[in-house]
Amino acid sequence: MDYSHIPVLAKEVVEGLDPQPGKVFIDGTLGGAGHTRLLLERGSQVYGIDQDPFVIGRTPELPGLTVLQGNYRDMLELMEPTGTTQVDGILLDIGVSSFQLDDSARGFSYHEEAPLDMRMSQDGLSAFDVVNDYDPEDIAAILYEYAEERHSRRIARYIVEARSKKPIETTTELAAIIKRAYPGQHARGIHPARRSFQALRIHVNDELGALKDGLEAAKALIKPGGRLAVISFHSLEDRIVKQFVKGNNGFKPLTKRPLEATEEELEQNPRSRSAKLRVAERLEEEQP
Protein backbone atom coordinates (compact mmCIF):
# COMPACT_ATOMS: atom_id res chain seq x y z
CA MET A 1 0.00 0.00 0.00
CA ASP A 2 1.15 3.52 -0.83
CA TYR A 3 1.14 5.61 2.32
CA SER A 4 2.02 8.91 0.66
CA HIS A 5 -0.18 11.77 1.78
CA ILE A 6 -1.37 14.94 0.07
CA PRO A 7 -2.25 17.54 2.72
CA VAL A 8 -5.58 19.30 2.18
CA LEU A 9 -5.59 23.10 1.83
CA ALA A 10 -1.83 23.12 2.41
CA LYS A 11 -1.17 26.66 1.16
CA GLU A 12 -4.05 28.07 3.17
CA VAL A 13 -2.96 26.27 6.35
CA VAL A 14 0.59 27.62 6.08
CA GLU A 15 -0.64 31.16 5.46
CA GLY A 16 -3.07 30.89 8.35
CA LEU A 17 -0.63 29.53 10.92
CA ASP A 18 2.34 31.64 9.74
CA PRO A 19 5.13 29.20 10.72
CA GLN A 20 8.56 30.74 11.31
CA PRO A 21 11.87 29.66 12.87
CA GLY A 22 11.48 29.32 16.61
CA LYS A 23 7.71 28.93 16.61
CA VAL A 24 6.11 25.87 18.22
CA PHE A 25 2.99 24.16 16.89
CA ILE A 26 0.76 21.20 17.68
CA ASP A 27 -0.60 19.10 14.84
CA GLY A 28 -3.41 17.37 16.70
CA THR A 29 -4.17 14.97 13.85
CA LEU A 30 -0.75 13.98 12.53
CA GLY A 31 -1.84 11.36 9.98
CA GLY A 32 0.65 11.27 7.11
CA ALA A 33 2.44 14.36 8.50
CA GLY A 34 1.73 16.29 5.32
CA HIS A 35 0.90 19.55 7.07
CA THR A 36 3.56 18.98 9.71
CA ARG A 37 6.29 18.71 7.09
CA LEU A 38 5.33 22.14 5.76
CA LEU A 39 5.61 23.64 9.23
CA LEU A 40 8.98 21.95 9.81
CA GLU A 41 10.31 23.18 6.47
CA ARG A 42 9.81 26.72 7.70
CA GLY A 43 11.91 26.14 10.79
CA SER A 44 9.14 25.54 13.31
CA GLN A 45 8.96 22.83 15.95
CA VAL A 46 5.95 20.50 15.91
CA TYR A 47 4.34 18.18 18.43
CA GLY A 48 2.40 15.67 16.33
CA ILE A 49 -0.47 13.86 18.02
CA ASP A 50 -2.33 10.83 16.67
CA GLN A 51 -4.46 8.18 18.34
CA ASP A 52 -3.84 5.52 15.69
CA PRO A 53 -0.94 3.18 16.59
CA PHE A 54 -0.65 2.31 12.90
CA VAL A 55 0.13 5.95 12.11
CA ILE A 56 2.50 6.34 15.05
CA GLY A 57 4.48 3.24 14.03
CA ARG A 58 4.99 4.53 10.49
CA THR A 59 5.83 8.16 11.15
CA PRO A 60 9.43 8.82 10.08
CA GLU A 61 11.87 10.64 12.33
CA LEU A 62 11.82 14.26 11.22
CA PRO A 63 14.03 17.01 12.70
CA GLY A 64 11.89 19.20 14.94
CA LEU A 65 9.03 16.70 15.25
CA THR A 66 8.01 15.10 18.54
CA VAL A 67 5.35 12.40 18.16
CA LEU A 68 2.78 11.80 20.90
CA GLN A 69 0.24 8.97 20.83
CA GLY A 70 -3.26 9.84 21.98
CA ASN A 71 -6.44 11.69 21.09
CA TYR A 72 -6.11 15.42 20.45
CA ARG A 73 -8.97 15.98 22.88
CA ASP A 74 -6.40 15.15 25.58
CA MET A 75 -3.76 17.64 24.34
CA LEU A 76 -3.28 19.22 27.75
CA GLU A 77 -2.44 15.91 29.41
CA LEU A 78 -0.33 14.74 26.45
CA MET A 79 1.71 17.94 26.43
CA GLU A 80 2.32 18.01 30.17
CA PRO A 81 5.36 15.66 30.16
CA THR A 82 7.01 17.77 27.43
CA GLY A 83 7.15 20.84 29.67
CA THR A 84 5.62 22.98 26.91
CA THR A 85 2.60 24.85 28.26
CA GLN A 86 2.07 27.43 25.49
CA VAL A 87 2.35 27.10 21.71
CA ASP A 88 2.17 29.46 18.74
CA GLY A 89 -0.54 27.53 16.94
CA ILE A 90 -2.59 24.37 16.68
CA LEU A 91 -3.83 22.55 13.59
CA LEU A 92 -6.76 20.11 13.69
CA ASP A 93 -7.56 18.20 10.50
CA ILE A 94 -10.77 16.50 11.58
CA GLY A 95 -12.11 13.13 10.46
CA VAL A 96 -10.74 9.94 9.00
CA SER A 97 -7.21 10.06 7.60
CA SER A 98 -6.05 8.94 4.17
CA PHE A 99 -4.21 6.03 5.79
CA GLN A 100 -7.39 4.80 7.40
CA LEU A 101 -9.50 5.25 4.28
CA ASP A 102 -7.00 3.50 2.04
CA ASP A 103 -6.50 0.53 4.38
CA SER A 104 -9.59 -1.54 3.54
CA ALA A 105 -9.00 -3.81 6.54
CA ARG A 106 -9.91 -0.94 8.89
CA GLY A 107 -13.57 -1.11 7.88
CA PHE A 108 -14.13 2.55 7.00
CA SER A 109 -15.08 1.91 3.38
CA TYR A 110 -18.33 0.40 2.11
CA HIS A 111 -16.62 -0.47 -1.19
CA GLU A 112 -14.18 -3.08 0.18
CA GLU A 113 -15.00 -6.15 2.26
CA ALA A 114 -13.50 -5.92 5.74
CA PRO A 115 -14.42 -6.55 9.36
CA LEU A 116 -16.97 -4.02 10.60
CA ASP A 117 -14.58 -1.97 12.74
CA MET A 118 -14.11 1.81 12.08
CA ARG A 119 -12.07 2.45 15.25
CA MET A 120 -9.36 5.07 14.69
CA SER A 121 -7.56 4.09 17.88
CA GLN A 122 -8.14 0.35 17.26
CA ASP A 123 -9.51 0.18 20.81
CA GLY A 124 -12.93 0.29 22.46
CA LEU A 125 -16.39 0.25 20.87
CA SER A 126 -16.52 -0.88 17.24
CA ALA A 127 -19.08 -0.49 14.47
CA PHE A 128 -19.78 -4.23 14.85
CA ASP A 129 -20.88 -3.60 18.44
CA VAL A 130 -23.20 -0.77 17.43
CA VAL A 131 -24.81 -2.57 14.49
CA ASN A 132 -25.32 -5.86 16.30
CA ASP A 133 -26.10 -4.75 19.86
CA TYR A 134 -27.82 -1.34 19.81
CA ASP A 135 -31.59 -0.96 19.91
CA PRO A 136 -33.14 0.04 16.57
CA GLU A 137 -34.18 3.41 18.02
CA ASP A 138 -30.56 4.16 18.97
CA ILE A 139 -29.23 3.09 15.57
CA ALA A 140 -31.78 5.30 13.82
CA ALA A 141 -30.88 8.24 16.08
CA ILE A 142 -27.17 7.87 15.23
CA LEU A 143 -27.84 7.79 11.50
CA TYR A 144 -30.09 10.84 11.65
CA GLU A 145 -28.05 12.94 14.10
CA TYR A 146 -24.62 12.40 12.55
CA ALA A 147 -25.50 12.12 8.86
CA GLU A 148 -29.01 13.58 8.54
CA GLU A 149 -30.05 10.28 6.98
CA ARG A 150 -33.77 10.71 6.26
CA HIS A 151 -34.31 6.95 5.93
CA SER A 152 -32.68 6.23 9.28
CA ARG A 153 -35.62 4.37 10.84
CA ARG A 154 -36.13 2.17 7.80
CA ILE A 155 -32.40 1.34 7.65
CA ALA A 156 -32.40 0.51 11.36
CA ARG A 157 -35.33 -1.90 10.87
CA TYR A 158 -33.54 -3.68 8.04
CA ILE A 159 -30.37 -3.96 10.15
CA VAL A 160 -32.25 -5.48 13.09
CA GLU A 161 -34.07 -7.91 10.82
CA ALA A 162 -30.81 -9.04 9.21
CA ARG A 163 -28.92 -9.46 12.50
CA SER A 164 -31.75 -11.61 13.92
CA LYS A 165 -30.68 -14.29 11.43
CA LYS A 166 -26.90 -13.90 11.83
CA PRO A 167 -24.47 -11.25 13.08
CA ILE A 168 -23.56 -8.54 10.56
CA GLU A 169 -19.80 -8.98 10.40
CA THR A 170 -18.43 -7.16 7.37
CA THR A 171 -18.62 -3.78 5.68
CA THR A 172 -20.03 -5.20 2.48
CA GLU A 173 -22.77 -7.06 4.37
CA LEU A 174 -23.86 -3.84 6.04
CA ALA A 175 -23.64 -1.86 2.80
CA ALA A 176 -25.85 -4.41 1.03
CA ILE A 177 -28.44 -4.27 3.83
CA ILE A 178 -28.56 -0.47 3.65
CA LYS A 179 -28.88 -0.59 -0.13
CA ARG A 180 -31.86 -2.97 0.18
CA ALA A 181 -33.43 -0.67 2.77
CA TYR A 182 -33.17 2.42 0.57
CA PRO A 183 -36.49 3.16 -1.13
CA GLY A 184 -36.65 4.15 -4.78
CA GLN A 185 -33.74 5.59 -6.70
CA HIS A 186 -30.68 7.17 -5.14
CA ALA A 187 -28.38 9.76 -6.66
CA ARG A 188 -26.13 8.45 -9.39
CA GLY A 189 -22.61 7.75 -8.15
CA ILE A 190 -23.57 8.07 -4.47
CA HIS A 191 -23.90 4.78 -2.61
CA PRO A 192 -26.88 4.68 -0.22
CA ALA A 193 -24.55 3.50 2.56
CA ARG A 194 -22.31 6.57 2.46
CA ARG A 195 -24.21 8.59 5.05
CA SER A 196 -24.75 5.64 7.37
CA PHE A 197 -21.06 4.70 7.34
CA GLN A 198 -20.16 8.30 8.12
CA ALA A 199 -22.59 8.36 11.04
CA LEU A 200 -21.34 5.08 12.50
CA ARG A 201 -17.72 6.23 12.25
CA ILE A 202 -18.48 9.51 14.00
CA HIS A 203 -20.31 7.71 16.80
CA VAL A 204 -17.72 4.96 17.27
CA ASN A 205 -14.91 7.50 17.60
CA ASP A 206 -16.96 10.19 19.41
CA GLU A 207 -15.61 12.64 16.83
CA LEU A 208 -17.84 15.57 17.71
CA GLY A 209 -17.15 15.18 21.43
CA ALA A 210 -13.42 15.03 20.69
CA LEU A 211 -13.68 18.20 18.59
CA LYS A 212 -15.41 20.13 21.38
CA ASP A 213 -12.84 18.95 23.93
CA GLY A 214 -9.99 19.69 21.53
CA LEU A 215 -11.13 23.26 20.96
CA GLU A 216 -11.23 23.87 24.71
CA ALA A 217 -7.74 22.40 25.05
CA ALA A 218 -6.52 24.65 22.24
CA LYS A 219 -7.87 27.66 24.09
CA ALA A 220 -5.66 26.74 27.06
CA LEU A 221 -2.55 25.97 25.00
CA ILE A 222 -2.36 28.71 22.37
CA LYS A 223 -0.56 31.85 23.52
CA PRO A 224 -2.04 35.31 22.86
CA GLY A 225 -1.48 36.19 19.21
CA GLY A 226 -1.19 32.50 18.28
CA ARG A 227 -3.34 30.80 15.68
CA LEU A 228 -5.91 28.00 15.58
CA ALA A 229 -6.58 26.32 12.23
CA VAL A 230 -9.30 23.68 11.88
CA ILE A 231 -10.14 21.69 8.75
CA SER A 232 -13.55 20.03 8.81
CA PHE A 233 -15.29 17.83 6.27
CA HIS A 234 -19.00 18.08 7.02
CA SER A 235 -21.48 20.62 8.30
CA LEU A 236 -21.76 19.29 11.86
CA GLU A 237 -18.03 19.77 12.46
CA ASP A 238 -17.89 23.15 10.74
CA ARG A 239 -20.84 24.39 12.78
CA ILE A 240 -19.08 23.51 16.04
CA VAL A 241 -15.89 25.28 14.94
CA LYS A 242 -17.78 28.33 13.69
CA GLN A 243 -19.72 28.71 16.95
CA PHE A 244 -16.56 28.26 19.01
CA VAL A 245 -14.39 30.85 17.26
CA LYS A 246 -17.22 33.35 16.94
CA GLY A 247 -18.39 32.88 20.51
CA ASN A 248 -16.92 34.45 23.61
CA ASN A 249 -14.05 31.97 23.74
CA GLY A 250 -11.01 34.22 23.48
CA PHE A 251 -10.56 33.93 19.72
CA LYS A 252 -10.94 36.36 16.83
CA PRO A 253 -11.95 34.75 13.50
CA LEU A 254 -9.48 35.49 10.69
CA THR A 255 -11.65 33.82 8.05
CA LYS A 256 -15.12 35.36 7.67
CA ARG A 257 -16.14 32.29 5.71
CA PRO A 258 -14.42 28.90 5.64
CA LEU A 259 -11.72 28.55 3.00
CA GLU A 260 -12.26 25.80 0.43
CA ALA A 261 -10.11 24.03 -2.12
CA THR A 262 -9.39 25.70 -5.44
CA GLU A 263 -10.25 23.99 -8.72
CA GLU A 264 -6.56 23.25 -9.18
CA GLU A 265 -6.37 21.46 -5.84
CA LEU A 266 -9.56 19.54 -6.54
CA GLU A 267 -8.01 18.17 -9.73
CA GLN A 268 -4.94 16.98 -7.81
CA ASN A 269 -6.73 15.78 -4.69
CA PRO A 270 -10.46 14.99 -5.04
CA ARG A 271 -10.71 14.27 -1.31
CA SER A 272 -10.35 17.98 -0.64
CA ARG A 273 -13.79 18.64 -2.17
CA SER A 274 -15.68 18.94 1.12
CA ALA A 275 -12.82 20.40 3.18
CA LYS A 276 -13.43 23.70 4.98
CA LEU A 277 -10.73 25.63 6.84
CA ARG A 278 -11.37 28.18 9.58
CA VAL A 279 -8.53 30.16 11.15
CA ALA A 280 -8.72 32.21 14.34
CA GLU A 281 -6.28 34.22 16.48
CA ARG A 282 -5.99 33.85 20.25
CA LEU A 283 -6.77 37.12 22.01
CA GLU A 284 -5.10 38.54 25.08
CA GLU A 285 -6.60 37.31 28.32
CA GLU A 286 -8.91 39.82 29.94
CA GLN A 287 -7.56 41.29 33.13
CA PRO A 288 -9.68 40.64 36.25
Side-chain angles (χ1 to χ4, degrees):
M1 184 183 298
D2 179 11
Y3 293 111
S4 60
H5 173 64
I6 303 174
V8 171
L9 296 169
K11 176 177 176 289
E12 292 82 356
V13 166
V14 170
E15 290 178 353
L17 289 177
D18 187 29
Q20 297 177 21
K23 285 190 174 183
V24 179
F25 294 92
I26 295 174
D27 183 344
T29 47
L30 182 61
H35 292 108
T36 281
R37 290 175 191 268
L38 298 175
L39 302 178
L40 295 172
E41 286 173 3
R42 286 156 178 80
S44 296
Q45 179 186 351
V46 179
Y47 290 94
I49 298 172
D50 206 290
Q51 63 180 316
D52 192 337
F54 177 91
V55 170
I56 296 295
R58 286 158 179 78
T59 302
E61 291 188 10
L62 299 170
L65 172 62
T66 301
V67 179
L68 305 172
Q69 183 170 347
N71 193 306
Y72 71 88
R73 73 192 309 168
D74 301 316
M75 280 188 287
L76 281 169
E77 292 81 359
L78 292 168
M79 290 297 294
E80 191 172 343
T82 71
T84 300
T85 58
Q86 296 272 274
V87 297
D88 295 284
I90 292 177
L91 169 66
L92 303 177
D93 185 357
I94 310 302
V96 64
S97 73
S98 296
F99 287 169
Q100 292 158 341
L101 279 173
D102 292 339
D103 185 354
S104 59
R106 300 295 296 276
F108 289 102
S109 172
Y110 45 81
H111 294 297
E112 304 287 342
E113 183 166 10
L116 201 53
D117 195 326
M118 301 192 192
R119 296 171 297 176
M120 293 181 183
S121 66
Q122 301 185 20
D123 188 33
L125 181 80
S126 70
F128 175 91
D129 299 324
V130 177
V131 167
N132 288 286
D133 297 337
Y134 276 30
D135 292 335
E137 295 82 6
D138 294 330
I139 294 175
I142 289 168
L143 302 187
Y144 186 79
E145 180 179 357
Y146 295 142
E148 299 175 329
E149 174 53 74
R150 56 192 176 128
H151 303 301
S152 58
R153 294 183 182 278
R154 181 181 174 95
I155 292 170
R157 289 199 303 271
Y158 272 66
I159 287 173
V160 171
E161 180 183 353
R163 78 187 191 190
S164 68
K165 301 172 184 175
K166 64 175 290 295
I168 302 169
E169 298 180 336
T170 69
T171 51
T172 49
E173 281 182 72
L174 178 59
I177 292 165
I178 296 170
K179 189 172 184 178
R180 289 199 301 272
Y182 234 71
Q185 297 295 317
H186 54 86
R188 176 178 290 184
I190 300 177
H191 196 288
R194 186 179 70 172
R195 288 181 180 271
S196 296
F197 269 61
Q198 170 189 296
L200 288 169
R201 189 203 81 215
I202 290 173
H203 177 74
V204 164
N205 297 287
D206 189 23
E207 293 179 35
L208 301 188
L211 175 56
K212 292 173 183 177
D213 290 347
L215 292 173
E216 289 295 333
K219 179 180 176 180
L221 285 163
I222 299 175
K223 64 179 63 172
R227 302 285 180 83
L228 170 67
V230 185
I231 301 172
S232 60
F233 286 86
H234 62 76
S235 60
L236 292 174
E237 296 168 340
D238 183 57
R239 193 176 306 137
I240 290 171
V241 179
K242 176 182 177 181
Q243 291 172 348
F244 182 82
V245 300
K246 289 191 173 182
N248 187 24
N249 284 302
F251 283 93
K252 177 181 69 174
L254 298 181
T255 46
K256 291 184 178 180
R257 295 181 180 179
L259 303 178
E260 300 181 9
T262 62
E263 289 298 324
E264 182 181 358
E265 179 173 357
L266 289 172
E267 290 180 6
Q268 297 175 351
N269 185 13
R271 284 180 180 168
S272 65
R273 181 167 303 280
S274 57
K276 290 179 169 58
L277 169 67
R278 291 187 185 270
V279 182
E281 182 177 299
R282 186 73 168 96
L283 300 174
E284 295 283 349
E285 294 284 0
E286 293 184 9
Q287 296 299 318

